[in-house]
Amino acid sequence: MRSHVHPGTAIRRKIRGPLLALLVGALGAAPALVAAPAAHAAESTLGAAAKQSGRYFGTAIASGRLGDSAYTTIANREFNSVTAENEMKIDATEPQRGQFNFAAGDRVYNWAVQNGKQVRGHTLAWHSQQPGWMQSLSGSNLRQAMIGHINGVMAHYKGKIVQWDVVNEAFADGNSGARRDSNLQRTGNDWIEVAFRTARAADPAAKLCYNDYNVENWTWAKTQAMYNMVRDFKSRGVPIDCVGFQSHFNSGSPYNANFRTTLQNFAALGVDVAITELDIQGASATTYANVTNDCLAVPRCLGITVWGVRDSDSWRPGDTPLLFNNNGSKKPAYTSVLNALNGGTSNPPTDGGPLKGVGSGRCVDVPNSSTTDGTQVQLYDCHGGTNQQWQSTSAGELRVYGNKCLDAGGTGAGARIQIYSCWGGDNQKWRLNSDGTVTGVQSGLCLDTASGGTANGTLIQLNSCSGGGSQRWARA
């Protein structure tokens, strides 16, 4: 968990916890948009929906909140994986050298397994949240203390933890691509390798992960440095099994569409990937869906963990970054994630006829039966009129009146969707996907309603694909 800004800005951690697109008719083959779970009934909770594709959807749990029934009700219902927020970190588990205390960690672990959830371990070697005795050490004495800590904690949880964040946040912020100047780094550049080899010997069954923040954007120096380390480790047989991307997205460290590329490139090295501490400033439904779809698109993505249950449980509550409001109610972001995990539950629009919005129950309509080029289409009650009849063609068009095409008036989010005389341009070609979304060939964006609206007269536009109800369509 980390307070994130652009990599060029110094930051300091708070201590308080963190298809193949199925084209219809003769539209032709296209690359996958989402590796959606196949042929499953929609699930009603995040963990169950993620399980359909063999993944987990987890949360960070704080032992001090396990007495809050509203907190535990949501956590138990929605998530199938748990990470201890602070209770398995160094200061909590070894407050005095050689004297281990697992009371808080065990409380989180026991609650998780008693409720049928797997547990991720976080974290064994880290420059932060070290107890005072460790902070005072250096050199070979500190190196031996690190090894002793890893052995002690992993022995206690041997065979019980699915994944361990063995090393956390070892790379420097900014554009240097260098290692962080920490007391652990000053014991020698091989300290990370030693930590992983120690961890493998301590518990051969656990997946061993490296975990960091501000490494989601493929172009950033910190990402490249981490990639080079993992590639080196794999080439030399250092036992690393997975890479964790914390994914604390905010205005200083925003989500970038190349996150999927990052996940794919790391997976191509032969490691699993996981989204380990997800929270998004403002809880954008679109961004949450994009992150979920990024994981679904990468077969080696193990799952997603959000860093907290409700906004009030977050380490940065002022950013309202989670899927549940303070009172436990679900946000639009929750629905967008659930829809993405379910892979869409509507029948995709095929052949000809009205296009009915799954979220609105209303149809794509040409206002006032206009035939004028440039008329923006809207939602309206389905009535079967000729101005609501959209015919799929072998060229990938959606035609109305026989000679007017559904036309994108631009390639960016918010671009108007209108009718225009058919002329064969890519802005008039559409992919009708098995999850019910309709994607522009030219833009790669999805048909959506303005601001996710559902009322008569709501205009239709392009938007980043999120899989939400306002972006899914079926033949009426």
Side-chain angles (χ1 to χ4, degrees), residues 279-297:
D279 50 23
I280 300 171
Q281 183 178 21
S284 161
T286 298
T287 305
Y288 259 109
N290 287 341
V291 173
T292 304
N293 283 327
D294 289 341
C295 179
L296 291 171

Side-chain angles (χ1 to χ4, degrees), residues 289-290 293 335-336 339-340 344 435 437 446 464-472:
N290 287 341
N293 283 327
T335 303
S336 73
N339 286 339
D435 65 350
T437 58
C446 283
S464 299
C465 298
S466 68
S470 65
Q471 293 187 353
R472 291 188 289 123

Side-chain angles (χ1 to χ4, degrees), residues 140-327:
S140 60
N141 199 8
L142 176 59
R143 175 68 64 88
Q144 289 307 309
M146 178 193 78
I147 292 170
H149 179 77
I150 293 171
N151 283 327
V153 175
M154 293 192 77
H156 180 78
Y157 290 109
K158 187 173 182 178
K160 299 178 178 180
I161 300 293
V162 177
Q163 302 169 38
W164 269 109
D165 290 332
V166 177
V167 174
N168 198 43
E169 301 176 358
F171 286 93
D173 299 315
N175 298 315
S176 69
R179 293 276 187 90
R180 181 188 298 276
D181 180 23
S182 69
N183 60 349
L184 292 169
Q185 178 63 30
R186 290 190 293 272
T187 70
N189 203 54
D190 64 339
W191 75 274
I192 301 176
E193 177 177 344
V194 170
F196 274 89
R197 292 192 184 278
T198 303
R200 174 65 87 230
D203 187 352
K207 284 186 182 290
L208 307 181
C209 306
Y210 176 80
N211 191 55
D212 217 324
Y213 67 95
N214 276 1
V215 288
E216 295 78 21
N217 187 318
W218 177 245
T219 68
W220 284 355
K222 190 174 181 181
T223 309
Q224 293 299 309
M226 184 174 75
Y227 177 84
N228 290 334
M229 181 191 73
V230 175
R231 181 173 59 185
D232 172 61
F233 280 10
K234 293 298 291 184
S235 72
R236 295 191 294 108
V238 178
I240 183 170
D241 303 311
C242 49
V243 177
F245 298 83
Q246 292 185 16
S247 305
H248 297 292
F249 294 115
N250 61 26
S251 57
S253 180
Y255 169 83
N256 188 289
N258 69 24
F259 184 34
R260 187 176 303 190
T261 298
T262 303
L263 296 175
Q264 291 168 332
N265 287 344
F266 275 86
L269 293 176
V271 293
D272 294 326
V273 293
I275 297 168
T276 56
E277 304 182 18
L278 178 63
D279 50 23
I280 300 171
Q281 183 178 21
S284 161
T286 298
T287 305
Y288 259 109
N290 287 341
V291 173
T292 304
N293 283 327
D294 289 341
C295 179
L296 291 171
V298 179
R300 296 199 70 151
C301 185
L302 300 169
I304 298 170
T305 299
V306 289
W307 207 248
V309 178
R310 305 159 298 190
D311 285 338
S312 54
D313 308 311
S314 171
W315 65 294
R316 47 180 195 168
D319 285 348
T320 60
L322 296 175
L323 299 175
F324 295 88
N325 292 304
N326 294 350
N327 64 5

Side-chain angles (χ1 to χ4, degrees), residues 397-416:
E397 301 161 329
L398 286 168
R399 292 193 174 212
V400 67
Y401 310 134
N403 63 349
K404 299 290 183 181
C405 278
L406 195 68
D407 177 288
T411 58
R416 59 189 285 124

